[in-house]
Amino acid sequence: ACEGKVQWLETSYSNLVQGCEHWRTLLVSEDTVVVIDDVAAASEREISLHWLLAKEPALSCDGEYLLKVDEDISCWMTVESDQDCLEHSVVKASPNSPRGWYSRHYLQRLPATSIVTVTEAKSAVFVTCFSTSKARLSVFEDVVEVGKTKGGFRIEMCNRAMYEDMIKSVVLLEATS
C-alpha cells in the first residue's frame, strides 16, 4: 500500500526562469519511492530533470539505472516523462563542466554522478521511481502507472491549476506473474 505522500511547490526557479513553476510529489511504499516532478513554463523551452548521486550506476540504458548501494544492496532507478525525451545522460566529474560535481563549501568541487533527462516542451511531468525491483513506468496525460512484478500503483493526477493537491488517487495494481 502507499504509506505516505509529501507534496510541495518549488518557487525559487521562477526568479531564474520567468514564469516557471515546479511541483514535486513523493509517494512512499514498503519498497518503492516515486518522485513526480511537474514543471510548467510560460513558453516552450528545454526542461531537464537532474539527479546527483554519490556513485555511478552499475548499469544504465535509456532512463533505467541500477544503483549499487553497497555490495549486497541494489536499487533500480527509472525515469520517464509524459514528453518525448531528447536525452538521457550520465556524467561523472566532467572537468570542463559543472555537471558531475557537488560542493559542501564555497570553492570546493567533489565528484558526483549526474543523471539528466531532457525534453523540450511548455510543460513536462517527470516520474522517477526508486525500487528494489525493476519498474515499468508509463506517463500519459493525467495518469502515471508504476508496474512491478509484485504489483504497483496507478496514480491519477489533477489539473494543477484547479486543485491544490496534485494527486487525485493512488490505486494498487495486482501482481503480475
Side-chain angles (χ1 to χ4, degrees), residues 6 8 13 22-28 32-39 47-57 60 62-65 67 75-81 85 87-94 98-102 110-118 125-131 137:
V6 178
W8 66 93
Y13 298 113
H22 172 216
W23 291 264
R24 173 166 275 183
T25 302
L26 300 173
L27 299 168
V28 180
T32 305
V33 175
V34 177
V35 182
I36 302 173
D37 289 290
D38 190 349
V39 182
I47 300 174
S48 61
L49 175 68
H50 184 201
W51 288 98
L52 272 179
L53 305 172
K55 297 180 180 180
E56 275 188 83
S60 94
D62 289 333
E64 293 183 334
Y65 310 94
L67 310 176
C75 173
W76 281 97
M77 174 183 174
T78 308
V79 182
E80 190 57 71
S81 176
C85 291
E87 172 190 356
H88 289 285
S89 64
V90 179
V91 174
K92 173 119 178 142
S94 175
R99 279 197 58 200
W101 300 95
Y102 76 100
L110 300 169
T113 299
S114 167
I115 295 179
V116 172
T117 302
V118 179
V125 174
F126 294 99
V127 179
T128 307
C129 180
F130 297 93
S131 181
L137 293 180

Side-chain angles (χ1 to χ4, degrees), residues 6-13 19-26 35-42 49 122-127 157-167:
V6 178
Q7 182 176 0
W8 66 93
L9 170 63
E10 176 61 58
T11 57
S12 61
Y13 298 113
C20 182
E21 292 185 310
H22 172 216
W23 291 264
R24 173 166 275 183
T25 302
L26 300 173
V35 182
I36 302 173
D37 289 290
D38 190 349
V39 182
L49 175 68
K122 187 173 177 180
S123 66
V125 174
F126 294 99
V127 179
M157 298 184 294
C158 295
N159 179 331
R160 66 179 166 268
M162 296 173 60
Y163 300 96
E164 198 171 290
D165 192 348
M166 193 173 86
I167 304 301

Side-chain angles (χ1 to χ4, degrees), residues 7 22 30 39 45 52 54-55 69-70 73 79 100-101 105 111 136-138 154 156 168:
Q7 182 176 0
H22 172 216
E30 184 177 308
V39 182
R45 62 182 318 111
L52 272 179
K55 297 180 180 180
V69 178
D70 65 27
I73 301 172
V79 182
W101 300 95
H105 307 287
R136 295 173 317 283
L137 293 180
S138 66
R154 178 182 169 86
E156 291 186 38
K168 186 174 178 180

